[in-house]
Amino acid sequence: MAERTGGADRRTVLKTLGTAALVTTVGGGALAQSLPAASQGARSPESPRIRELFNFGWSFQDGDIAEGKNPDFDDSGWRRLDLPHDFQIEQPWDKTANRARGFKTLGTGWYRKTFKADGNWKGKQVLLDFEGIMVSGDVFLNGKKVGGTAYGYLGFESDISDVIRYDGDNVVAVRASTGGNSRWYTGGGLFRDVHLVVRNPVAIARHGVFVTTPVITADSAQVAVQVEVGGLKGKTDAVEIYTKIISPQGKLVGETRGFVPLPRNNLPTVETPLPNLAIAQPQLWSIETPNLYTAEVELIADGKIIDRLTKRFGIRTIEFSKEFGFKLNGKKIFLQGIANHHDLGAVGAAAYRTSIARQMDTLKAFGFNHIRTSHNPYSESFLDLADEKGLLIVDELYDKWGSTRAWSGSAPWNDIWFDNLKEWIKRDRNHPSVILWSFGNELQFEQERWNWPTGDWGQTTYRIMDVVAKRYDPTRKTTVGMYPARAKGIIKANPAFTVKENIVPPELATITDIASFNYVWDDYQEYLKHAPDMIIYQSEAVTNELAAPYFGMDREKMVGLAYWGAIEYWGESDGWPKKGWAYSFFNHALEPFPQAWLTKSIFTNEPVVHIGVVDNEGESKMWNDVMVGQKVISSHWNRQDGKTYNLYTYTNAEEVELLVNGKSIGVQTNDMNVRKRNTIYWKDVPYAPGKITAVARTAGKVVARHEMETTGKAVALTIEAENPAWKADGLDLQYVKVYAVDAKGRRVPTTPGEVTFKVSGSARLIAVDNGNHWSDDLFAGNRKVLHNGFAMAVLRSGRSPGIVKIEITGTGLKGGIKTFQVK
């Protein structure tokens, strides 16, 4: 362990292979000079590991192809495409198909890619690394099965070293199936990234770098690095591990080293903890300042670097307690979140980084700080972005435990849960955004429903999984989302549900590290009388209750909440023609409904007022023992003369005055009742063309204002682009939004008509959308009917820099042209 003393480094070098410890140095600019000469001489600009993105140049065919795996199969008639790709979103909507699965027919798709191997790969490990196959799939190389997944939300790597050909073409073939009993829209196919990896036989194992920060103060942070090395089975080779830590600004701030110890007991991999190092004046990772450090790990043998891998991490503390709920870096944080499924609107489940980023940016703009990954691991890009943007993640593995109901896997849950849990924890444990592991969702209310008969409402199953999780990550707590039921499985349909003596928390909730309850926020205080040590998190809150689930919690002592379906998603429809969940704050194109400003009023300190006019009362119904629904509300003042309208003002101010054309309709105070707070109802407001204005005041002072104005007839289309730094990497997207406007440039949401998009240059059009969850239209083609005066095009960049031009024309409306540069 190196220690800074009087301006000099004091080093201890231990060369015994029986221990991991060698040398750790800490300091500032002198670090580069502190390396032993032998290690400096071993450095090479050439990377000992190749990790190549394998997303480009695939062929695809929908349907099951009997000979699809054969290398000499003629796929010249197949469609050419690049990944990520969701073939299910391209299929026609089918009224007779399963509404839970988004009215899409279940089936199979095949992918093929031809490549040549580099002769320099001989003698090395060559791997194909799939981040997932939806819903399950098999991988073949040159006709031989080399891997696959039974649970497509998690990745795997296939060793193709013994199958690869160096004297001709190699053909990768992938069969993807959307079968299974999922309760929601899953998407289908190669929906995440694929990489080709070439490494030496002795190398850092899959997800083999684990960085923790066990002690953090204002002046210093201890960093602990553990490295798992593979390829040493039966070998006694001396392998040194050298790790350097790079600051968020790219400066070297610490290093540590050690040897893979002996004896190795014939293990396929060896986990080696390195001596802790100290980082001076650590830059903490937080919601406001998501600082990220990088650990660069090298393996050295015979004076040569044989492997190198980098892993980002954050320095931060997380604490949970029944006294304060949750703290990040010692500061109380209340989780203000969303629990959604993983699809991304018009691109379906395809995990485009840009699509994920715009979703996160939208949520943060409205005050959200948290996402629960319901009910499966999300993509690696998702967690990378959460790290970068400062979002707090509850990372969830499953919906249900067991194979008899609601199981999307192609193998029995009982057979694969251990490997799934291990892959999941090791993949995600370095992400500072991940604050809590969740093993599952809504599974404790029927004793043996899931074919995992422990006889104790899931308690034994949880304890087993908890032990495994903490084996691979002892730094985080664990949880399970509870169905809104009582102890002994009493559900709402049971008359005993409302009997006071039965308002007892489910048995499983009383033993999990964190007690996660879906809904039933008004029972939490009663639950605590029976289990006072519970640390409570509302893992799902219903949007139909607006702000009540938030204000109804003890926010000083509880962890937080996640609104279910706050963004529309595909599947779990309650009936045709609705294509999915639509009781939301944002539509699937991320256009906010007026209710979104309610969330902003409760989640931020910024003064907010926003008018929403009731178009109709919508619907409400029982869903999973919870009353769900939503009024149809819009924010425009193009209405019918002579009629009156009911409306809401969403505000965090003390009072709101409503005016029509300058004439006061009245003043109402913000009711502090938890079921009404921040939501002021105005009945029978007379319509008159002109302006309607909401003026919000606190302590007599105007703090916010929202005004809507009657517009003229739409005459043109305006174009708004979201991505100012569009990259020519073949993956980056540009979202181009189009609005109908009048002669004064004001949006006219009542405008009908069709928009046509024409794209040329260094990009291609991959989807068109209008945010209408009820539409039977698909997202392919270049035309889209306006919905609420809105349409949108999604463009994917090419792999060469250049100019992109998009031309937009509309029915009876002046069109426009916009040019972009992709770099």
Side-chain angles (χ1 to χ4, degrees):
M1 178 73 71
E3 181 180 344
R4 203 72 161 145
T5 307
D9 286 332
R10 189 172 64 191
R11 305 180 184 87
T12 302
V13 181
L14 180 63
K15 302 230 176 184
T16 306
L17 284 178
T19 72
L22 251 187
V23 63
T24 304
T25 61
V26 185
L31 272 173
Q33 287 73 41
S34 71
L35 295 176
S39 290
Q40 288 198 33
R43 293 185 172 277
S44 167
E46 296 179 7
S47 175
R49 173 188 288 247
I50 298 170
R51 181 171 170 82
E52 176 185 306
L53 188 64
F54 214 57
N55 282 8
F56 304 106
W58 289 80
S59 300
F60 172 75
Q61 180 64 46
D62 192 14
D64 210 353
I65 313 297
E67 304 300 319
K69 68 179 181 180
N70 293 342
D72 55 356
F73 178 81
D74 181 7
D75 60 14
S76 59
W78 289 19
R79 175 184 166 195
R80 302 297 187 254
L81 54 76
D82 300 325
L83 309 181
H85 175 242
D86 174 5
F87 71 78
Q88 197 170 37
I89 199 68
E90 301 171 347
Q91 294 174 332
W93 305 109
D94 182 352
K95 185 178 181 179
T96 66
N98 188 336
R99 66 183 186 181
R101 300 294 294 271
F103 294 107
K104 296 288 188 177
T105 302
L106 306 186
T108 303
W110 277 85
Y111 297 81
R112 287 167 59 93
K113 178 181 169 96
T114 301
F115 71 100
K116 291 187 182 295
D118 188 325
N120 292 325
W121 299 350
K122 291 180 180 180
K124 298 189 175 184
Q125 269 192 318
V126 184
L127 308 163
L128 288 175
D129 186 350
F130 289 82
E131 198 185 324
I133 302 175
M134 193 65 359
V135 171
S136 59
D138 298 309
V139 178
F140 304 86
L141 181 66
N142 300 328
K144 180 179 179 181
K145 184 176 177 180
V146 292
T149 178
Y151 185 62
Y153 295 105
L154 288 170
F156 62 95
E157 58 186 22
S158 298
D159 190 340
I160 61 173
S161 309
D162 295 335
V163 187
I164 200 166
R165 295 172 180 167
Y166 290 93
D167 57 352
D169 287 341
N170 290 277
V171 179
V172 182
V174 179
R175 180 185 185 274
S177 169
T178 59
N181 295 316
S182 176
R183 296 189 298 122
W184 57 83
Y185 175 86
T186 59
L190 294 178
F191 71 124
R192 294 181 184 166
D193 291 341
V194 180
H195 286 87
L196 184 140
V197 178
V198 182
R199 66 190 187 195
N200 287 307
V202 175
I204 300 166
R206 180 174 177 82
H207 310 313
V209 176
F210 183 28
V211 185
T212 58
T213 53
V215 180
I216 302 172
T217 68
D219 299 324
S220 179
Q222 283 191 25
V223 177
V225 181
Q226 175 184 283
V227 181
E228 185 177 2
V229 180
L232 290 173
K233 186 174 182 179
K235 298 178 181 178
T236 59
D237 307 54
V239 178
E240 183 185 12
I241 305 170
Y242 166 65
T243 299
K244 63 181 181 182
I245 306 299
I246 310 298
S247 74
Q249 291 74 36
K251 296 182 179 180
L252 181 62
V253 292
E255 60 175 4
T256 182
R257 60 193 334 114
F259 280 107
V260 180
L262 291 170
R264 294 169 184 152
N265 300 321
N266 215 29
L267 295 171
T269 63
V270 181
E271 293 171 316
T272 303
L274 301 179
N276 289 5
L277 59 90
I279 302 294
Q281 284 77 52
Q283 301 172 63
L284 300 186
W285 184 94
S286 70
I287 295 170
E288 300 79 16
T289 58
N291 294 306
L292 292 170
Y293 287 78
T294 301
E296 184 176 296
V297 182
E298 294 177 346
L299 301 187
I300 302 168
D302 296 327
K304 295 181 179 179
I305 299 172
I306 60 171
D307 201 8
R308 181 186 294 125
L309 199 62
T310 60
K311 185 62 64 175
R312 296 193 308 183
F313 67 98
I315 298 175
R316 55 97 174 105
T317 63
I318 53 175
E319 304 169 78
F320 292 86
S321 167
K322 65 178 182 179
E323 302 300 330
F324 55 73
F326 172 71
K327 286 184 178 180
L328 177 67
N329 301 325
K331 176 185 175 183
K332 163 67 180 175
I333 300 288
F334 190 77
L335 301 187
Q336 302 170 166
I338 174 176
N340 252 59
H341 293 306
H342 71 150
D343 71 68
L344 297 162
V347 298
Y352 285 100
R353 183 182 172 92
T354 318
S355 304
I356 299 165
R358 71 187 295 264
Q359 185 180 93
M360 290 181 174
D361 290 341
T362 300
L363 291 172
K364 288 207 76 170
F366 279 82
F368 290 80
N369 62 20
H370 159 56
I371 299 174
R372 174 190 175 209
T373 70
S374 312
H375 304 292
N376 47 261
Y378 282 17
S379 68
E380 294 185 46
S381 293
F382 171 88
L383 291 179
D384 287 340
L385 284 163
D387 291 345
E388 294 168 13
K389 295 179 180 294
L391 282 162
L392 302 170
I393 306 301
V394 173
D395 198 350
E396 193 154 84
L397 177 58
Y398 292 126
D399 184 16
K400 307 295 184 267
W401 302 336
S403 309
T404 58
R405 295 280 298 275
W407 170 239
S408 62
S410 61
W413 180 88
N414 310 45
D415 294 346
I416 65 175
W417 73 265
F418 176 84
D419 288 336
N420 285 173
L421 194 151
K422 180 179 175 181
E423 166 74 12
W424 168 60
I425 295 282
K426 292 178 72 174
R427 188 196 77 161
D428 296 352
R429 60 190 176 181
N430 290 305
H431 290 282
S433 58
V434 175
I435 61 169
L436 182 65
W437 303 117
S438 176
F439 296 149
N441 172 68
E442 292 185 345
L443 42 74
Q444 84 295 340
F445 67 101
E446 287 187 10
Q447 180 73 292
E448 305 301 348
R449 183 176 182 179
W450 313 116
N451 194 31
W452 188 253
T454 61
D456 58 1
W457 305 99
Q459 293 180 78
T460 297
T461 309
Y462 166 77
R463 287 188 170 110
I464 293 170
M465 296 177 79
D466 184 61
V467 169
V468 176
K470 288 182 170 62
R471 157 66 178 86
Y472 295 105
D473 176 26
T475 71
R476 293 177 178 87
K477 294 188 181 298
T478 62
T479 191
V480 178
M482 298 292 116
Y483 189 86
R486 313 292 193 209
K488 299 180 181 178
I490 299 174
I491 63 173
K492 202 165 190 174
N494 188 331
F497 185 84
T498 55
V499 176
K500 186 171 183 179
E501 304 87 75
N502 293 328
I503 304 178
V504 178
E507 293 83 352
L508 182 55
T510 65
I511 68 157
T512 53
D513 290 340
I514 308 300
S516 295
F517 295 104
N518 291 357
Y519 318 109
V520 296
W521 55 269
D522 43 354
D523 290 329
Y524 294 165
Q525 295 302 329
E526 195 66 29
Y527 281 179
L528 286 168
K529 293 177 183 178
H530 298 275
D533 292 331
M534 289 193 306
I535 305 169
I536 292 180
Y537 160 59
Q538 189 175 177
S539 39
E540 291 178 19
V542 63
T543 57
N544 191 45
E545 293 182 326
L546 301 175
Y550 176 85
F551 288 120
M553 294 183 73
D554 184 344
R555 298 189 305 284
E556 294 304 312
K557 293 188 175 182
M558 294 180 183
V559 172
L561 85 170
Y563 276 104
W564 179 258
I567 300 172
E568 291 178 342
Y569 60 83
W570 307 120
E572 291 197 286
S573 167
D574 52 17
W576 182 269
K578 190 191 302 182
K579 304 308 185 298
W581 187 267
Y583 305 127
S584 306
F585 298 136
F586 305 88
N587 70 18
H588 68 254
L590 295 184
E591 293 290 286
F593 296 117
Q595 295 92 322
W597 274 269
L598 172 64
T599 66
K600 189 169 187 176
S601 79
I602 65 177
F603 286 167
T604 73
N605 293 322
E606 175 187 336
V608 171
V609 67
H610 193 88
I611 304 168
V613 181
V614 179
D615 295 322
N616 64 68
E617 292 299 312
E619 58 186 351
S620 60
K621 58 186 64 178
M622 192 66 69
W623 181 279
N624 275 9
D625 276 359
V626 176
M627 188 61 68
V628 301
Q630 183 165 302
K631 293 184 178 184
V632 178
I633 298 175
S634 60
S635 291
H636 67 83
W637 200 234
N638 291 359
R639 305 289 170 173
Q640 293 184 30
D641 285 330
K643 295 193 70 173
T644 61
Y645 290 88
N646 301 329
L647 57 85
Y648 290 93
T649 50
Y650 304 113
T651 188
N652 48 15
E654 291 178 355
E655 65 179 29
V656 172
E657 183 177 12
L658 191 68
L659 304 98
V660 175
N661 294 327
K663 181 181 177 180
S664 181
I665 302 298
V667 177
Q668 291 196 56
T669 58
N670 192 347
D671 193 331
M672 292 296 105
N673 181 296
V674 298
R675 295 185 182 274
K676 299 180 179 180
R677 189 168 171 182
N678 286 23
T679 306
I680 299 175
Y681 182 61
W682 304 80
K683 187 173 176 58
D684 295 332
V685 175
Y687 172 72
K691 296 180 180 180
I692 183 169
T693 308
V695 180
R697 298 184 180 91
T698 295
K701 296 179 62 176
V702 175
V703 295
R705 179 188 297 264
H706 181 220
E707 187 168 84
M708 302 190 306
E709 187 174 8
T710 306
T711 70
K713 181 182 177 181
V715 297
L717 299 169
T718 61
I719 305 171
E720 297 180 9
E722 290 186 352
N723 188 353
W726 197 8
K727 297 187 294 294
D729 60 3
L731 297 170
D732 202 11
L733 304 184
Q734 180 66 264
Y735 281 78
V736 180
K737 298 187 290 187
V738 176
Y739 298 94
V741 297
D742 69 3
K744 294 182 179 180
R746 298 172 297 188
R747 294 181 186 177
V748 188
T750 53
T751 306
E754 185 180 74
V755 174
T756 300
F757 300 91
K758 182 179 179 181
V759 177
S760 60
S762 302
R764 65 183 187 275
L765 182 65
I766 64 168
V768 290
D769 192 12
N770 61 12
N772 185 359
H773 226 49
W774 281 256
S775 174
D776 295 343
D777 293 339
L778 297 177
F779 304 105
N782 69 334
R783 297 183 179 186
K784 185 61 66 171
V785 173
L786 290 170
H787 177 64
N788 295 330
F790 166 80
M792 182 170 70
V794 186
L795 282 60
R796 180 170 176 166
S797 70
R799 300 171 71 185
S800 299
I803 301 297
V804 177
K805 183 172 78 171
I806 183 167
E807 182 178 355
I808 299 168
T809 56
T811 308
L813 300 170
K814 182 181 178 181
I817 296 174
K818 192 172 183 68
T819 59
F820 308 87
Q821 188 167 11
V822 288
K823 301 179 180 179

